[in-house]
Amino acid sequence: MPNFCAAPNCTRKSTQSNLAFFRFPRDPERCRLWVENCRRADLETKTSDQLNKHYRLCAKHFEPAMICKTSPYRTVLRETAIPTIFDLTSHLNNPHSRHRKRIKELTEEDIRKIKERRLESSIEQLHSKKDKGGVVEEVEAGVEAPQLTPEQREQQEYIKSLLETVLLMGRQNIPLRTSIRRQEEEGEEERKEEEGEEEDAAFVPSNFQALLEARLSAGDEVLRGRFEGAAVNEDYCSTEEQQRLLEFCARSVQQNLLQEVRDASFFSLVTDDLVEFPGGARLPVFLRFVDQASALREELVELVLLEADAEPTGLAERLEALVTEHWGLSMEHCRGQAHASSGTFAGHIKTVASRLSDKYPMAVHTPQSSCALNVHLANCVPLAAVQTVMATLGKVHAFLRSTPTLQDEMDRVIGILFQGSPEKAESLRQACRCCWSDMHNLFEVAVELMEPLMLCMDSLYENEERMCSDRVTSSAFFISEVLSDFEFVVTLVILKNTLSFTRAFGKNLQGETLDVFFAANSLTAVLHSLNEVMDNIEVYHEFWFEEAVNLAATMGITVCVPRVVLLRKPSADVGEMQPEAYFKEYLTLPIMQFITQEVKDIFSENHLKALKCLSLVPAVMGQMKFNTSEESHAHGYRGDLPNPDTLPAELHCWRIKWKHRGKEVRLPATIHETLQLSDVKFFPNVNAFLKVLSTLPVLRLEHGSRQTAQQRLQAHLEHTPVDCRCPSMALLHINYHLVTDLDQMVEQYTKQLSEDDHSESDTLAE
């Protein structure tokens, strides 16, 4: 569909030239200025959203300096661009011509108001500019920028040095204060002082102080002038001010990130499992969106502190308030949500997801692309035996990775047990070294590793050569005790068999776009298999229990019911309880019922419709022989499209474009590849639709060689002890790749200090 210019006396349209056409801005204030300069009275009654969707201005109405050509195929406006070039008189030469865009006649009052608004705007822009070398620029209104005094300029340079240092420490994950050991030494010194003992202790500066001294030595004149005469054992910056600087930097990064999300309009909400911080557990909250460069991103926005006794209802309300009130986003623009959790909190967060879906149906609940579906399902099972298995597998993985010696011992044991099958031994060694949470066949591998793990833990516990520390031997003993419990063995075997029906389905969900599309169409077969197992659960359980008994016999484990049966059954009935019947009632049936229902819940009708719309991707369309019907699944997303009435015709043109392509043209295989095409802008509905679909958390990120935000978070937690963790420092470190405007941060921090000083003065005056 061609775009027509909304300017008076302008008849240009997009099909007649290579001119760029620009939407009216969504920002109400900027949009009002555009309408005011257009002088069209009929546009004044329309909202900024209506103007953004349906009206355009061509590049001829903007100063050349306001237009940027980022590539041969992409032209954009500067953020502050206002149209100023208009022809408001040519229609007067031909009074009988048909004048469709009527020009508003301005009264003297209108002219006076326009001048006042332009003067106010000029003054605001002037105050926001940086003072360079004392040169003062003049604006059209003739107002001069206020001169900064030498003291004010020195103060800004000083703040800039502090902020640069804090940002450096955040990106490198250097704590502001000294180590825990130094704090313990300080506590020991205080104790000796109280007891009257004398000891000369050298002053040890904090990390922040040490970096400031390094800057001073490197020639920072502002710091030299401020601290050159300071005592050698004096902190340049108090602990309170350091913390305020750190929180300000983290808040600035967060606000810049949120502005990008607002510009993108649509987003998805993603949370990870609870992480421990001083002061309590925190919930990592990520936002997934498509930025202005049409790149899909998922960024950490905040680590939310949770109360120990937080109820699901209160947590849902708090999460909604966080997004809407604190971040300034609209949940009406949320198109997906995914929550990775385990243990008791998994049930709470599931209730939160359900409440948000009920209130905002477009916020589709999906699994996370970063977590294998089978791992997600097992983490959510509300049974203590299952949670013990998941927690133990995580501890084993972390234990073996803690030192190379432990992994070498595991490799040695595997080599001994599988001497006759070197290929299998090598595959098991590789599996031990991989991240288990990423493996779709985790439980199959875990069953095969049970015997090697038991022997390895026993070897470490015996510690015959005295090569292991007491910490290693005690951890090995604990793991060995858990592995030698028959309840652990049978739970692992049942998980392996029940989740075998969703393994291939889950693997496809994390595959290419074509695999995801076919996975959405195969859900019926998966549910059919799960229901068939439920109908014949006695037969299946008999085979699974026999497999668990054989594995236990190999490892020398006694088959018995768990001790917890004593709490559930009278003592007279304990001897009559058969292990096979017990585990069928308390393990196999609940696991099968939960997995079946959970698959139905997270693959709702809205979720499946969205995944089936992936046929918009040309490679999927080609695989389907261009016989697709996206419009039948896209009804719920009509409100997200710029021109929903033209969607059927546009989809037809989209299919024809790729069906009759040249032989040398390759079909884009992912949403990201499709959005990077230069001519996708000629299909505005398809372009908008693909951006909305790509925000679904179930689709994998095209992050290339760079780590995802969740991977950076896990790396940060692994390398930072719990006592040294800080939410603001974590936010800076994990978002190290985001660009920050240091000059703007200096102005904002200076303004904040000024407001705090005024507030303190008012308080003292009262």
Side-chain angles (χ1 to χ4, degrees), residues 105 132 175 214 235 328 333 337 348 400 482 556 559 568 592 600:
E105 298 294 335
K132 296 182 179 180
D235 276 332
H333 290 164
Q337 53 172 323
H348 288 187
L400 293 178
V482 177
V559 177
R568 295 177 180 169
M592 279 302 306
K600 291 179 181 177

Side-chain angles (χ1 to χ4, degrees), residues 79-346:
E79 293 183 357
T80 57
I82 303 293
T84 55
I85 305 173
F86 292 96
D87 176 13
L88 303 176
T89 58
S90 63
H91 66 285
L92 301 177
N93 298 329
N94 186 7
H96 301 291
S97 64
R98 184 181 179 188
H99 188 55
R100 179 171 58 87
K101 308 168 188 173
R102 299 206 174 272
I103 301 175
K104 177 183 178 181
E105 298 294 335
L106 297 179
T107 63
E108 292 183 0
E109 181 67 16
D110 293 334
I111 295 174
R112 184 183 64 80
K113 290 182 178 179
I114 290 174
K115 288 182 177 179
E116 289 178 356
R117 284 195 293 266
R118 288 181 178 174
L119 180 60
E120 292 174 359
S121 176
S122 298
I123 294 174
E124 290 177 359
Q125 292 179 9
L126 186 62
H127 282 301
S128 66
K129 290 183 179 180
K130 181 184 178 184
D131 184 16
K132 296 182 179 180
V135 178
V136 182
E137 298 181 355
E138 296 185 359
V139 296
E140 295 180 0
V143 181
E144 294 185 351
Q147 290 277 5
L148 292 177
T149 64
E151 292 79 10
Q152 290 173 330
R153 191 174 298 110
E154 180 184 346
Q155 175 71 3
Q156 287 195 351
E157 291 298 326
Y158 169 64
I159 292 173
K160 186 175 182 179
S161 297
L162 296 182
L163 291 176
E164 280 183 331
T165 305
V166 172
L167 288 173
L168 171 65
M169 298 180 75
R171 287 167 180 159
Q172 299 298 328
N173 194 28
I174 303 173
L176 296 177
R177 304 299 298 165
T178 49
S179 65
I180 298 298
R181 179 180 298 176
R182 175 58 194 165
Q183 294 178 11
E184 292 175 352
E185 292 174 358
E186 291 174 354
E188 181 67 16
E189 291 169 6
E190 292 177 1
R191 183 191 63 78
K192 289 182 178 180
E193 281 185 11
E194 292 175 357
E195 296 178 357
E197 298 182 22
E198 294 183 359
E199 180 177 344
D200 293 332
F203 172 73
V204 179
S206 66
N207 295 329
F208 185 74
Q209 173 101 353
L211 284 175
L212 287 183
E213 290 178 354
R215 287 182 65 104
L216 191 149
S217 301
D220 192 320
E221 295 299 329
V222 175
L223 291 178
R224 182 179 299 278
R226 185 172 288 256
F227 299 121
E228 192 170 27
V232 295
N233 61 344
E234 177 184 337
D235 276 332
Y236 293 167
C237 195
S238 66
T239 304
E240 293 77 13
E241 188 174 355
Q242 291 178 33
Q243 189 62 31
R244 181 164 61 176
L245 285 164
L246 179 62
E247 292 174 356
F248 172 80
C249 291
R251 190 164 58 251
S252 297
V253 170
Q254 182 193 61
Q255 291 303 319
N256 292 339
L257 186 57
L258 290 173
Q259 185 57 49
E260 291 192 76
V261 179
R262 294 187 196 101
D263 294 340
S265 293
F266 301 104
F267 64 92
S268 285
L269 195 64
V270 180
T271 66
D272 210 341
D273 208 354
L274 293 176
V275 292
E276 288 299 323
F277 274 81
R282 290 182 177 266
L283 178 68
V285 183
F286 304 81
L287 288 180
R288 186 182 176 110
F289 62 98
V290 178
D291 63 17
Q292 297 300 305
S294 297
L296 177 62
R297 291 164 55 189
E298 187 175 296
E299 307 289 1
L300 176 68
V301 184
E302 192 162 341
L303 292 156
V304 183
L305 180 64
L306 297 182
E307 294 81 3
D309 55 349
E311 293 294 329
T313 304
L315 181 58
E317 293 175 352
R318 184 175 178 191
L319 202 57
E320 181 183 359
L322 178 73
V323 174
T324 57
E325 298 175 11
H326 185 58
W327 293 349
L329 303 175
S330 173
M331 281 298 295
E332 298 292 344
H333 290 164
C334 182
R335 291 295 171 265
Q337 53 172 323
H339 310 282
S341 55
S342 59
T344 306
F345 189 70

Side-chain angles (χ1 to χ4, degrees), residues 362-433:
M362 297 300 293
V364 179
H365 183 204
T366 77
Q368 276 195 33
S369 61
S370 59
C371 180
L373 178 63
N374 279 359
V375 176
H376 170 78
L377 292 173
N379 279 330
C380 294
V381 176
L383 294 177
V386 176
Q387 294 304 316
T388 299
V389 168
M390 299 306 296
T392 303
L393 292 179
K395 290 177 182 177
V396 169
H397 178 61
F399 179 66
L400 293 178
R401 288 185 59 188
S402 59
T403 60
T405 305
L406 301 180
Q407 187 65 60
D408 292 341
E409 178 64 18
M410 185 65 184
D411 291 345
R412 186 183 71 84
V413 173
I414 291 175
I416 294 173
L417 287 178
F418 297 95
Q419 292 181 4
S421 179
E423 295 82 4
K424 186 173 183 178
E426 183 59 29
S427 66
L428 290 178
R429 289 193 186 101
Q430 293 298 325
C432 285
R433 297 179 182 274

Side-chain angles (χ1 to χ4, degrees), residues 537-557:
I537 193 66
E538 291 82 3
V539 177
Y540 282 95
H541 175 73
E542 182 180 348
F543 283 107
W544 299 344
F545 186 77
E546 183 179 354
E547 180 183 352
V549 170
N550 293 335
L551 178 59
T554 303
M555 300 170 62
I557 298 174

Side-chain angles (χ1 to χ4, degrees), residues 173 275-277 394 397-399 401-402 434-438 707 710-722 724-725 730 733-734:
N173 194 28
V275 292
E276 288 299 323
F277 274 81
H397 178 61
F399 179 66
R401 288 185 59 188
S402 59
C434 294
C435 183
W436 289 8
S437 61
D438 295 338
Q707 286 184 317
Q710 293 191 33
Q711 290 172 334
R712 295 195 297 272
L713 173 62
Q714 294 305 319
H716 173 81
L717 297 175
E718 287 179 8
H719 294 92
T720 309
V722 175
C724 297
R725 293 175 185 173
H733 180 63
I734 294 161

Side-chain angles (χ1 to χ4, degrees), residues 486 490 494 537-546 549 559-561 577-588:
F486 180 71
V490 71
I494 290 174
I537 193 66
E538 291 82 3
V539 177
Y540 282 95
H541 175 73
E542 182 180 348
F543 283 107
W544 299 344
F545 186 77
E546 183 179 354
V549 170
V559 177
C560 61
V561 297
M577 174 64 68
Q578 295 298 318
E580 182 176 352
Y582 171 83
F583 287 112
K584 173 192 168 186
E585 179 181 355
Y586 290 103
L587 206 59
T588 304

Side-chain angles (χ1 to χ4, degrees), residues 458-693:
D458 289 344
S459 172
L460 294 173
Y461 171 64
E462 290 177 0
N463 197 17
E464 293 179 352
E465 299 180 0
R466 302 298 176 185
M467 298 294 293
C468 300
S469 64
D470 292 340
R471 181 188 62 82
V472 171
T473 55
S474 61
S475 298
F477 176 74
F478 172 79
I479 293 174
S480 177
E481 286 292 300
V482 177
L483 296 179
S484 60
D485 186 2
F486 180 71
E487 185 179 21
F488 182 92
V489 175
V490 71
T491 303
L492 182 60
V493 171
I494 290 174
L495 282 174
K496 184 203 80 168
N497 287 283
T498 54
L499 292 172
S500 65
F501 300 99
T502 58
R503 185 177 65 246
F505 175 72
K507 187 176 181 180
N508 286 336
L509 282 177
Q510 290 187 334
E512 300 294 336
T513 306
L514 184 62
D515 299 326
V516 180
F517 175 77
F518 286 123
N521 291 277
S522 67
L523 180 65
T524 304
V526 174
L527 290 174
H528 177 76
S529 299
L530 293 174
N531 289 325
E532 193 270 337
V533 173
M534 284 298 299
D535 293 339
N536 301 277
I537 193 66
E538 291 82 3
V539 177
Y540 282 95
H541 175 73
E542 182 180 348
F543 283 107
W544 299 344
F545 186 77
E546 183 179 354
E547 180 183 352
V549 170
N550 293 335
L551 178 59
T554 303
M555 300 170 62
I557 298 174
T558 304
V559 177
C560 61
V561 297
R563 290 187 296 271
V564 74
V565 176
L566 295 173
L567 302 176
R568 295 177 180 169
K569 299 287 184 180
S571 57
D573 298 336
V574 173
E576 300 177 3
M577 174 64 68
Q578 295 298 318
E580 182 176 352
Y582 171 83
F583 287 112
K584 173 192 168 186
E585 179 181 355
Y586 290 103
L587 206 59
T588 304
L589 270 173
I591 288 177
M592 279 302 306
Q593 290 170 349
F594 178 86
I595 290 174
T596 304
Q597 188 59 45
E598 185 70 8
V599 170
K600 291 179 181 177
D601 290 343
I602 61 178
F603 294 99
S604 61
E605 184 179 356
N606 287 342
H607 186 187
L608 292 178
K609 284 183 177 180
L611 294 181
K612 290 178 180 178
C613 290
L614 291 174
S615 57
L616 283 169
V617 177
V620 181
M621 198 180 296
Q623 189 70 24
M624 300 297 292
K625 307 300 182 184
F626 300 97
N627 184 23
T628 57
S629 56
E630 298 83 3
E631 57 267 27
S632 62
H633 305 298
H635 180 74
Y637 293 94
R638 289 180 62 85
D640 302 340
L641 307 180
N643 302 300
D645 295 335
T646 63
L647 178 62
E650 188 176 315
L651 290 177
H652 176 72
C653 295
W654 181 251
R655 283 191 288 269
I656 295 298
K657 167 185 170 58
W658 296 107
K659 185 175 183 180
H660 298 290
R661 72 193 187 283
K663 293 183 178 180
E664 71 283 357
V665 178
R666 186 183 69 87
L667 292 174
T670 65
I671 295 180
H672 178 73
E673 287 183 19
T674 308
L675 289 175
Q676 298 304 315
L677 297 173
S678 59
D679 51 356
V680 73
K681 63 183 179 181
F682 298 116
F683 300 87
N685 287 317
V686 173
N687 189 24
F689 204 171
L690 287 174
K691 288 182 177 180
V692 172
L693 289 178

